[in-house]
Structure formats: structure tokens, C-alpha cells
Short mmCIF file of all heavy atoms in Angstrom, two decimals:
data_model
loop_
_atom_site.label_atom_id
_atom_site.label_comp_id
_atom_site.label_asym_id
_atom_site.label_seq_id
_atom_site.Cartn_x
_atom_site.Cartn_y
_atom_site.Cartn_z
N MET X 1067 13.53 0.19 -3.17
CA MET X 1067 12.83 -0.45 -4.28
C MET X 1067 11.42 0.14 -4.39
O MET X 1067 10.72 0.25 -3.40
CB MET X 1067 12.75 -1.95 -4.02
CG MET X 1067 11.98 -2.72 -5.07
SD MET X 1067 11.78 -4.45 -4.63
CE MET X 1067 10.50 -4.33 -3.40
N ILE X 1068 11.05 0.53 -5.60
CA ILE X 1068 9.71 1.06 -5.81
C ILE X 1068 8.68 -0.07 -5.69
O ILE X 1068 8.82 -1.11 -6.33
CB ILE X 1068 9.59 1.72 -7.20
CG1 ILE X 1068 10.50 2.95 -7.30
CG2 ILE X 1068 8.14 2.09 -7.51
CD1 ILE X 1068 10.06 4.12 -6.46
N VAL X 1069 7.68 0.13 -4.87
CA VAL X 1069 6.59 -0.84 -4.72
C VAL X 1069 5.40 -0.41 -5.59
O VAL X 1069 4.85 -1.20 -6.33
CB VAL X 1069 6.15 -0.96 -3.25
CG1 VAL X 1069 4.95 -1.88 -3.12
CG2 VAL X 1069 7.32 -1.48 -2.40
N CYS X 1070 5.04 0.85 -5.48
CA CYS X 1070 3.91 1.37 -6.26
C CYS X 1070 4.47 2.30 -7.35
O CYS X 1070 4.89 3.42 -7.08
CB CYS X 1070 2.95 2.14 -5.35
SG CYS X 1070 1.55 2.83 -6.26
N VAL X 1071 4.47 1.77 -8.56
CA VAL X 1071 5.03 2.51 -9.69
C VAL X 1071 4.16 3.73 -10.01
O VAL X 1071 4.67 4.80 -10.34
CB VAL X 1071 5.15 1.58 -10.93
CG1 VAL X 1071 5.61 2.36 -12.14
CG2 VAL X 1071 6.10 0.44 -10.62
N CYS X 1072 2.86 3.57 -9.90
CA CYS X 1072 1.95 4.66 -10.27
C CYS X 1072 2.21 5.93 -9.46
O CYS X 1072 2.07 7.03 -9.99
CB CYS X 1072 0.50 4.23 -10.07
SG CYS X 1072 -0.02 2.93 -11.20
N HIS X 1073 2.57 5.77 -8.20
CA HIS X 1073 2.77 6.92 -7.33
C HIS X 1073 4.21 7.02 -6.82
O HIS X 1073 4.47 7.81 -5.90
CB HIS X 1073 1.78 6.90 -6.18
CG HIS X 1073 0.35 7.02 -6.64
ND1 HIS X 1073 -0.16 8.16 -7.19
CD2 HIS X 1073 -0.64 6.09 -6.71
CE1 HIS X 1073 -1.42 7.96 -7.53
NE2 HIS X 1073 -1.73 6.71 -7.26
N ALA X 1074 5.10 6.23 -7.40
CA ALA X 1074 6.53 6.26 -7.04
C ALA X 1074 6.74 6.15 -5.53
O ALA X 1074 7.49 6.93 -4.93
CB ALA X 1074 7.19 7.52 -7.60
N VAL X 1075 6.08 5.17 -4.94
CA VAL X 1075 6.23 4.94 -3.50
C VAL X 1075 7.14 3.73 -3.29
O VAL X 1075 6.87 2.66 -3.84
CB VAL X 1075 4.86 4.68 -2.82
CG1 VAL X 1075 5.03 4.52 -1.31
CG2 VAL X 1075 3.90 5.83 -3.12
N ASN X 1076 8.21 3.92 -2.51
CA ASN X 1076 9.14 2.81 -2.31
C ASN X 1076 8.83 2.01 -1.05
O ASN X 1076 7.96 2.37 -0.26
CB ASN X 1076 10.59 3.32 -2.33
CG ASN X 1076 10.87 4.29 -1.21
OD1 ASN X 1076 10.23 4.25 -0.16
ND2 ASN X 1076 11.83 5.17 -1.42
N ASP X 1077 9.56 0.89 -0.89
CA ASP X 1077 9.29 0.00 0.23
C ASP X 1077 9.56 0.67 1.57
O ASP X 1077 8.88 0.40 2.56
CB ASP X 1077 10.08 -1.31 0.09
CG ASP X 1077 11.59 -1.08 -0.02
OD1 ASP X 1077 12.00 0.00 -0.50
OD2 ASP X 1077 12.33 -1.98 0.36
N ARG X 1078 10.54 1.57 1.62
CA ARG X 1078 10.82 2.26 2.89
C ARG X 1078 9.63 3.11 3.33
O ARG X 1078 9.29 3.16 4.51
CB ARG X 1078 12.07 3.12 2.77
CG ARG X 1078 13.33 2.30 2.77
CD ARG X 1078 14.54 3.15 2.99
NE ARG X 1078 14.57 4.30 2.07
CZ ARG X 1078 15.60 5.11 1.95
NH1 ARG X 1078 16.66 4.95 2.67
NH2 ARG X 1078 15.56 6.09 1.09
N LYS X 1079 9.00 3.78 2.37
CA LYS X 1079 7.83 4.59 2.70
C LYS X 1079 6.68 3.71 3.17
O LYS X 1079 6.00 4.05 4.15
CB LYS X 1079 7.41 5.41 1.47
CG LYS X 1079 6.19 6.27 1.69
CD LYS X 1079 6.43 7.31 2.78
CE LYS X 1079 5.20 8.18 3.01
NZ LYS X 1079 5.43 9.15 4.10
N ILE X 1080 6.47 2.58 2.50
CA ILE X 1080 5.38 1.68 2.91
C ILE X 1080 5.64 1.17 4.33
O ILE X 1080 4.72 1.14 5.17
CB ILE X 1080 5.28 0.47 1.94
CG1 ILE X 1080 5.05 0.93 0.50
CG2 ILE X 1080 4.17 -0.48 2.39
CD1 ILE X 1080 3.72 1.54 0.21
N LYS X 1081 6.88 0.76 4.62
CA LYS X 1081 7.20 0.27 5.96
C LYS X 1081 6.98 1.36 7.00
O LYS X 1081 6.50 1.10 8.10
CB LYS X 1081 8.65 -0.24 6.00
CG LYS X 1081 8.81 -1.58 5.30
CD LYS X 1081 10.27 -2.00 5.25
CE LYS X 1081 10.42 -3.27 4.43
NZ LYS X 1081 11.81 -3.58 4.12
N GLU X 1082 7.35 2.59 6.65
CA GLU X 1082 7.15 3.72 7.56
C GLU X 1082 5.67 3.92 7.85
O GLU X 1082 5.27 4.12 9.00
CB GLU X 1082 7.74 4.98 6.91
CG GLU X 1082 7.58 6.25 7.71
CD GLU X 1082 8.05 7.45 6.91
OE1 GLU X 1082 9.17 7.42 6.36
OE2 GLU X 1082 7.28 8.42 6.80
N VAL X 1083 4.84 3.83 6.82
CA VAL X 1083 3.40 4.02 6.97
C VAL X 1083 2.83 2.91 7.87
O VAL X 1083 2.00 3.17 8.74
CB VAL X 1083 2.72 4.03 5.58
CG1 VAL X 1083 1.22 3.89 5.68
CG2 VAL X 1083 3.08 5.32 4.85
N ILE X 1084 3.30 1.68 7.66
CA ILE X 1084 2.83 0.56 8.50
C ILE X 1084 3.29 0.77 9.94
O ILE X 1084 2.51 0.58 10.88
CB ILE X 1084 3.33 -0.79 7.93
CG1 ILE X 1084 2.65 -1.07 6.58
CG2 ILE X 1084 3.07 -1.93 8.92
CD1 ILE X 1084 3.21 -2.26 5.83
N GLN X 1085 4.54 1.19 10.12
CA GLN X 1085 5.04 1.44 11.47
C GLN X 1085 4.27 2.55 12.16
O GLN X 1085 4.13 2.56 13.38
CB GLN X 1085 6.52 1.81 11.43
CG GLN X 1085 7.42 0.60 11.33
CD GLN X 1085 8.89 0.97 11.49
OE1 GLN X 1085 9.28 2.11 11.23
NE2 GLN X 1085 9.69 0.01 11.88
N ASN X 1086 3.75 3.48 11.37
CA ASN X 1086 2.99 4.59 11.94
C ASN X 1086 1.52 4.24 12.16
O ASN X 1086 0.73 5.10 12.52
CB ASN X 1086 3.11 5.83 11.04
CG ASN X 1086 4.48 6.47 11.15
OD1 ASN X 1086 5.19 6.26 12.12
ND2 ASN X 1086 4.86 7.22 10.13
N GLY X 1087 1.17 2.97 11.92
CA GLY X 1087 -0.17 2.54 12.31
C GLY X 1087 -1.08 2.03 11.22
O GLY X 1087 -2.19 1.59 11.51
N ALA X 1088 -0.67 2.09 9.96
CA ALA X 1088 -1.53 1.58 8.89
C ALA X 1088 -1.67 0.06 9.05
O ALA X 1088 -0.68 -0.65 9.19
CB ALA X 1088 -0.95 1.91 7.52
N ARG X 1089 -2.89 -0.44 9.05
CA ARG X 1089 -3.14 -1.86 9.28
C ARG X 1089 -3.98 -2.49 8.18
O ARG X 1089 -4.52 -3.58 8.36
CB ARG X 1089 -3.83 -2.07 10.64
CG ARG X 1089 -2.94 -1.78 11.82
CD ARG X 1089 -1.80 -2.79 11.90
NE ARG X 1089 -0.87 -2.52 12.98
CZ ARG X 1089 0.25 -1.83 12.83
NH1 ARG X 1089 0.57 -1.33 11.65
NH2 ARG X 1089 1.07 -1.62 13.85
N SER X 1090 -4.10 -1.81 7.07
CA SER X 1090 -4.84 -2.36 5.93
C SER X 1090 -4.35 -1.68 4.66
O SER X 1090 -3.70 -0.63 4.71
CB SER X 1090 -6.35 -2.12 6.09
OG SER X 1090 -6.62 -0.73 6.02
N VAL X 1091 -4.68 -2.29 3.52
CA VAL X 1091 -4.30 -1.69 2.24
C VAL X 1091 -4.93 -0.31 2.10
O VAL X 1091 -4.30 0.64 1.64
CB VAL X 1091 -4.72 -2.62 1.07
CG1 VAL X 1091 -4.50 -1.94 -0.27
CG2 VAL X 1091 -3.93 -3.92 1.13
N SER X 1092 -6.17 -0.19 2.55
CA SER X 1092 -6.85 1.11 2.45
C SER X 1092 -6.16 2.16 3.30
O SER X 1092 -6.06 3.33 2.90
CB SER X 1092 -8.31 0.97 2.89
OG SER X 1092 -9.02 0.19 1.96
N ALA X 1093 -5.68 1.75 4.48
CA ALA X 1093 -4.99 2.70 5.35
C ALA X 1093 -3.68 3.16 4.71
O ALA X 1093 -3.32 4.34 4.79
CB ALA X 1093 -4.72 2.07 6.72
N ILE X 1094 -2.97 2.24 4.07
CA ILE X 1094 -1.75 2.62 3.36
C ILE X 1094 -2.10 3.60 2.25
O ILE X 1094 -1.43 4.62 2.06
CB ILE X 1094 -1.04 1.37 2.78
CG1 ILE X 1094 -0.50 0.51 3.91
CG2 ILE X 1094 0.09 1.79 1.83
CD1 ILE X 1094 0.08 -0.82 3.44
N ALA X 1095 -3.16 3.30 1.53
CA ALA X 1095 -3.58 4.17 0.43
C ALA X 1095 -3.89 5.58 0.92
O ALA X 1095 -3.53 6.56 0.27
CB ALA X 1095 -4.80 3.56 -0.27
N ARG X 1096 -4.55 5.67 2.06
CA ARG X 1096 -4.90 6.99 2.59
C ARG X 1096 -3.64 7.77 2.97
O ARG X 1096 -3.60 8.98 2.85
CB ARG X 1096 -5.81 6.86 3.81
CG ARG X 1096 -7.26 6.56 3.45
CD ARG X 1096 -8.17 6.74 4.65
NE ARG X 1096 -7.87 5.81 5.73
CZ ARG X 1096 -8.35 4.59 5.83
NH1 ARG X 1096 -9.18 4.14 4.92
NH2 ARG X 1096 -8.03 3.81 6.84
N SER X 1097 -2.62 7.06 3.41
CA SER X 1097 -1.41 7.73 3.89
C SER X 1097 -0.49 8.18 2.76
O SER X 1097 0.11 9.24 2.83
CB SER X 1097 -0.63 6.81 4.82
OG SER X 1097 -1.37 6.58 5.98
N CYS X 1098 -0.35 7.34 1.71
CA CYS X 1098 0.66 7.68 0.70
C CYS X 1098 0.18 7.42 -0.73
O CYS X 1098 0.98 7.53 -1.66
CB CYS X 1098 1.95 6.91 0.96
SG CYS X 1098 1.78 5.13 0.80
N ARG X 1099 -1.07 7.07 -0.91
CA ARG X 1099 -1.70 6.86 -2.21
C ARG X 1099 -1.29 5.55 -2.90
O ARG X 1099 -1.81 5.24 -3.96
CB ARG X 1099 -1.45 8.04 -3.17
CG ARG X 1099 -2.00 9.35 -2.60
CD ARG X 1099 -1.86 10.49 -3.58
NE ARG X 1099 -2.74 10.27 -4.73
CZ ARG X 1099 -2.53 10.79 -5.94
NH1 ARG X 1099 -1.47 11.55 -6.14
NH2 ARG X 1099 -3.35 10.56 -6.93
N ALA X 1100 -0.35 4.79 -2.32
CA ALA X 1100 0.02 3.52 -2.94
C ALA X 1100 -1.21 2.63 -3.06
O ALA X 1100 -2.00 2.52 -2.13
CB ALA X 1100 1.09 2.82 -2.09
N GLY X 1101 -1.38 2.03 -4.22
CA GLY X 1101 -2.49 1.12 -4.44
C GLY X 1101 -3.76 1.77 -4.94
O GLY X 1101 -4.77 1.09 -5.13
N THR X 1102 -3.73 3.07 -5.17
CA THR X 1102 -4.97 3.75 -5.54
C THR X 1102 -5.15 3.94 -7.04
O THR X 1102 -6.12 4.54 -7.47
CB THR X 1102 -5.05 5.15 -4.88
OG1 THR X 1102 -3.95 5.93 -5.33
CG2 THR X 1102 -5.04 5.04 -3.37
N ASP X 1103 -4.20 3.42 -7.83
CA ASP X 1103 -4.36 3.62 -9.27
C ASP X 1103 -4.60 2.27 -9.95
O ASP X 1103 -5.71 1.76 -9.95
CB ASP X 1103 -3.15 4.35 -9.84
CG ASP X 1103 -3.48 5.07 -11.15
OD1 ASP X 1103 -4.26 4.50 -11.93
OD2 ASP X 1103 -2.97 6.17 -11.38
N CYS X 1104 -3.57 1.65 -10.52
CA CYS X 1104 -3.80 0.42 -11.29
C CYS X 1104 -4.03 -0.80 -10.40
O CYS X 1104 -4.62 -1.78 -10.84
CB CYS X 1104 -2.63 0.16 -12.23
SG CYS X 1104 -1.15 -0.45 -11.40
N GLY X 1105 -3.55 -0.76 -9.17
CA GLY X 1105 -3.75 -1.88 -8.26
C GLY X 1105 -2.71 -2.98 -8.36
O GLY X 1105 -2.77 -3.96 -7.63
N ALA X 1106 -1.75 -2.85 -9.26
CA ALA X 1106 -0.74 -3.90 -9.46
C ALA X 1106 0.12 -4.12 -8.21
O ALA X 1106 0.66 -5.21 -8.02
CB ALA X 1106 0.14 -3.56 -10.65
N CYS X 1107 0.24 -3.12 -7.38
CA CYS X 1107 1.09 -3.25 -6.19
C CYS X 1107 0.34 -3.83 -5.00
O CYS X 1107 0.94 -4.04 -3.94
CB CYS X 1107 1.65 -1.89 -5.81
SG CYS X 1107 0.37 -0.67 -5.46
N CYS X 1108 -0.94 -4.09 -5.16
CA CYS X 1108 -1.75 -4.51 -4.02
C CYS X 1108 -1.20 -5.76 -3.34
O CYS X 1108 -1.14 -5.83 -2.12
CB CYS X 1108 -3.19 -4.72 -4.46
SG CYS X 1108 -4.26 -5.14 -3.08
N SER X 1109 -0.79 -6.76 -4.12
CA SER X 1109 -0.29 -7.99 -3.50
C SER X 1109 0.98 -7.71 -2.70
O SER X 1109 1.19 -8.30 -1.64
CB SER X 1109 -0.07 -9.08 -4.54
OG SER X 1109 0.89 -8.66 -5.47
N SER X 1110 1.81 -6.80 -3.19
CA SER X 1110 3.02 -6.44 -2.43
C SER X 1110 2.64 -5.74 -1.13
O SER X 1110 3.24 -5.99 -0.08
CB SER X 1110 3.91 -5.53 -3.27
OG SER X 1110 4.35 -6.20 -4.42
N LEU X 1111 1.65 -4.85 -1.20
CA LEU X 1111 1.20 -4.16 0.01
C LEU X 1111 0.65 -5.17 1.01
O LEU X 1111 0.93 -5.11 2.21
CB LEU X 1111 0.12 -3.13 -0.33
CG LEU X 1111 0.51 -2.01 -1.29
CD1 LEU X 1111 -0.67 -1.07 -1.52
CD2 LEU X 1111 1.71 -1.23 -0.78
N ARG X 1112 -0.12 -6.13 0.52
CA ARG X 1112 -0.69 -7.16 1.39
C ARG X 1112 0.42 -8.01 2.02
O ARG X 1112 0.33 -8.35 3.20
CB ARG X 1112 -1.66 -8.04 0.61
CG ARG X 1112 -2.95 -7.30 0.25
CD ARG X 1112 -3.72 -8.03 -0.84
NE ARG X 1112 -4.13 -9.36 -0.43
CZ ARG X 1112 -5.35 -9.67 -0.02
NH1 ARG X 1112 -6.28 -8.75 0.00
NH2 ARG X 1112 -5.65 -10.88 0.35
N ASN X 1113 1.44 -8.34 1.26
CA ASN X 1113 2.56 -9.12 1.80
C ASN X 1113 3.27 -8.34 2.90
O ASN X 1113 3.64 -8.90 3.93
CB ASN X 1113 3.54 -9.48 0.69
CG ASN X 1113 3.01 -10.55 -0.23
OD1 ASN X 1113 2.09 -11.27 0.12
ND2 ASN X 1113 3.59 -10.65 -1.42
N MET X 1114 3.48 -7.06 2.67
CA MET X 1114 4.18 -6.25 3.66
C MET X 1114 3.35 -6.11 4.94
O MET X 1114 3.89 -6.14 6.04
CB MET X 1114 4.52 -4.88 3.07
CG MET X 1114 5.55 -4.99 1.95
SD MET X 1114 5.93 -3.42 1.16
CE MET X 1114 7.06 -2.72 2.36
N LEU X 1115 2.04 -6.00 4.78
CA LEU X 1115 1.16 -5.96 5.95
C LEU X 1115 1.22 -7.28 6.71
O LEU X 1115 1.30 -7.31 7.94
CB LEU X 1115 -0.28 -5.67 5.52
CG LEU X 1115 -0.59 -4.22 5.17
CD1 LEU X 1115 -1.88 -4.13 4.38
CD2 LEU X 1115 -0.68 -3.37 6.42
N ALA X 1116 1.18 -8.39 5.97
CA ALA X 1116 1.21 -9.71 6.59
C ALA X 1116 2.51 -9.90 7.35
O ALA X 1116 2.53 -10.45 8.46
CB ALA X 1116 1.03 -10.79 5.53
N GLU X 1117 3.61 -9.45 6.77
CA GLU X 1117 4.92 -9.57 7.44
C GLU X 1117 4.94 -8.79 8.75
O GLU X 1117 5.62 -9.17 9.70
CB GLU X 1117 6.02 -9.04 6.53
CG GLU X 1117 6.38 -10.00 5.42
CD GLU X 1117 7.33 -9.36 4.39
OE1 GLU X 1117 7.83 -8.26 4.65
OE2 GLU X 1117 7.52 -9.99 3.34
N SER X 1118 4.18 -7.71 8.81
CA SER X 1118 4.15 -6.90 10.03
C SER X 1118 3.15 -7.44 11.04
O SER X 1118 3.02 -6.91 12.13
CB SER X 1118 3.81 -5.45 9.69
OG SER X 1118 2.43 -5.34 9.38
N GLY X 1119 2.38 -8.46 10.64
CA GLY X 1119 1.41 -9.05 11.55
C GLY X 1119 0.04 -8.43 11.46
O GLY X 1119 -0.88 -8.80 12.19
N ALA X 1120 -0.15 -7.49 10.53
CA ALA X 1120 -1.45 -6.85 10.37
C ALA X 1120 -2.34 -7.68 9.46
O ALA X 1120 -1.86 -8.51 8.68
CB ALA X 1120 -1.27 -5.45 9.78
N ARG X 1121 -3.65 -7.46 9.56
CA ARG X 1121 -4.55 -8.11 8.61
C ARG X 1121 -4.30 -7.48 7.25
O ARG X 1121 -3.91 -6.31 7.16
CB ARG X 1121 -6.00 -7.93 9.04
CG ARG X 1121 -6.49 -6.49 8.91
CD ARG X 1121 -7.90 -6.36 9.44
NE ARG X 1121 -8.33 -4.97 9.38
CZ ARG X 1121 -8.93 -4.44 8.33
NH1 ARG X 1121 -9.16 -5.17 7.25
NH2 ARG X 1121 -9.30 -3.18 8.33
N THR X 1122 -4.56 -8.23 6.19
CA THR X 1122 -4.25 -7.69 4.88
C THR X 1122 -5.41 -6.90 4.30
O THR X 1122 -5.22 -5.86 3.72
CB THR X 1122 -3.84 -8.80 3.91
OG1 THR X 1122 -4.89 -9.76 3.86
CG2 THR X 1122 -2.56 -9.45 4.36
N GLY X 1123 -6.63 -7.40 4.45
CA GLY X 1123 -7.80 -6.71 3.93
C GLY X 1123 -7.82 -6.73 2.42
O GLY X 1123 -6.89 -7.21 1.77
N PRO X 1124 -8.90 -6.21 1.86
CA PRO X 1124 -9.03 -6.18 0.40
C PRO X 1124 -8.14 -5.11 -0.21
O PRO X 1124 -7.66 -4.22 0.50
CB PRO X 1124 -10.50 -5.83 0.19
CG PRO X 1124 -10.85 -5.03 1.40
CD PRO X 1124 -10.04 -5.61 2.53
N CYS X 1125 -7.94 -5.19 -1.51
CA CYS X 1125 -7.25 -4.11 -2.20
C CYS X 1125 -8.10 -2.87 -2.13
O CYS X 1125 -9.31 -2.93 -1.92
CB CYS X 1125 -6.99 -4.50 -3.66
SG CYS X 1125 -5.76 -5.78 -3.82
N HIS X 1126 -7.45 -1.74 -2.28
CA HIS X 1126 -8.16 -0.47 -2.16
C HIS X 1126 -9.31 -0.43 -3.16
O HIS X 1126 -9.13 -0.71 -4.35
CB HIS X 1126 -7.20 0.69 -2.39
CG HIS X 1126 -7.82 2.03 -2.17
ND1 HIS X 1126 -8.28 2.41 -0.93
CD2 HIS X 1126 -8.08 3.05 -3.00
CE1 HIS X 1126 -8.79 3.64 -1.02
NE2 HIS X 1126 -8.67 4.03 -2.28
N GLU X 1127 -10.46 -0.07 -2.66
CA GLU X 1127 -11.66 -0.09 -3.50
C GLU X 1127 -11.79 1.14 -4.38
O GLU X 1127 -12.60 1.16 -5.28
CB GLU X 1127 -12.92 -0.25 -2.64
CG GLU X 1127 -13.14 0.83 -1.59
CD GLU X 1127 -12.25 0.66 -0.36
OE1 GLU X 1127 -11.69 -0.43 -0.13
OE2 GLU X 1127 -12.10 1.63 0.37
N GLY X 1128 -10.97 2.13 -4.17
CA GLY X 1128 -11.14 3.38 -4.89
C GLY X 1128 -10.21 3.54 -6.09
O GLY X 1128 -9.85 4.64 -6.45
N GLN X 1129 -9.81 2.43 -6.70
CA GLN X 1129 -8.90 2.53 -7.84
C GLN X 1129 -9.58 3.28 -8.98
O GLN X 1129 -10.74 3.07 -9.27
CB GLN X 1129 -8.50 1.14 -8.32
CG GLN X 1129 -7.67 0.42 -7.29
CD GLN X 1129 -7.54 -1.05 -7.61
OE1 GLN X 1129 -8.00 -1.50 -8.65
NE2 GLN X 1129 -6.92 -1.79 -6.73
N SER X 1130 -8.80 4.15 -9.61
CA SER X 1130 -9.40 4.97 -10.67
C SER X 1130 -9.52 4.21 -11.97
O SER X 1130 -10.33 4.54 -12.81
CB SER X 1130 -8.58 6.24 -10.86
OG SER X 1130 -7.25 5.92 -11.17
N ARG X 1131 -8.68 3.17 -12.15
CA ARG X 1131 -8.78 2.35 -13.35
C ARG X 1131 -9.37 1.01 -12.97
O ARG X 1131 -8.96 0.42 -11.99
CB ARG X 1131 -7.42 2.12 -13.97
CG ARG X 1131 -6.84 3.38 -14.58
CD ARG X 1131 -5.56 3.05 -15.29
NE ARG X 1131 -4.68 4.21 -15.22
CZ ARG X 1131 -3.36 4.16 -15.15
NH1 ARG X 1131 -2.74 3.00 -15.14
NH2 ARG X 1131 -2.64 5.23 -15.09
N GLN X 1132 -10.27 0.49 -13.71
CA GLN X 1132 -10.92 -0.78 -13.39
C GLN X 1132 -10.28 -1.92 -14.11
O GLN X 1132 -9.85 -1.80 -15.19
CB GLN X 1132 -12.40 -0.73 -13.74
CG GLN X 1132 -13.12 0.37 -12.98
CD GLN X 1132 -13.15 0.12 -11.47
OE1 GLN X 1132 -13.39 -1.02 -11.05
NE2 GLN X 1132 -12.90 1.12 -10.68
S1 FES W 1545 1.49 0.26 -8.99
FE1 FES W 1545 0.46 0.91 -7.20
S2 FES W 1545 -1.44 1.61 -7.96
FE2 FES W 1545 -0.34 1.11 -9.75
#
């Protein structure tokens, strides 16, 4: 299932990034760019982080669209 439409990142990729050590929305963004455009996927990213036991943190601050 696609989580980040802007960058065509699916849930498997997000889970892989979290398993590889990403512990915040910003860390996910650095790894696969999810959350760096419109920000609509941020709540999904936060939910996936919370499910893994990581802190959720703010949405990525570097979104290109405000
Ligand atoms: S859907 Fe992820 S940044 Fe737009």
C-alpha cells in the first residue's frame, strides 16, 4: 500500500526504514523522502513509528509546499 503518494513510497519501504533505525518522521524523510512534499502522509508515518515504539516527533519541517 502506498503511504506517501508524492514519492511513491509504500508501507513495506517505511517499515524497512524504521527497522533500519529511523526513529522520527525526519529520519524517515532522510532515508526515503516520504513526508517531504505535501505532508499528507505525516500522520501515517507517525502512526507507523508509534507502532514500532519510537517517538513520533514533528512532521518533517522541510516540506516544499506550505
Ligand atoms: S503524500 Fe507524502 S509528502 Fe505528500
Side-chain angles (χ1 to χ4, degrees):
M1067 177 186 77
I1068 295 290
V1069 175
C1070 179
V1071 176
C1072 293
H1073 296 291
V1075 183
N1076 62 27
D1077 57 333
R1078 285 194 309 189
K1079 178 62 180 177
I1080 302 291
K1081 285 175 186 169
E1082 178 187 310
V1083 166
I1084 292 171
Q1085 279 188 336
N1086 287 339
R1089 290 293 177 266
S1090 66
V1091 172
S1092 292
I1094 292 173
R1096 282 192 297 273
S1097 294
C1098 65
R1099 301 185 68 205
T1102 61
D1103 203 322
C1104 75
C1107 59
C1108 184
S1109 61
S1110 297
L1111 300 180
R1112 289 164 62 101
N1113 287 341
M1114 293 177 79
L1115 282 163
E1117 284 171 10
S1118 74
R1121 69 184 177 89
T1122 56
C1125 290
H1126 185 64
E1127 59 283 343
Q1129 294 167 5
S1130 58
R1131 290 186 211 147
Q1132 300 294 318

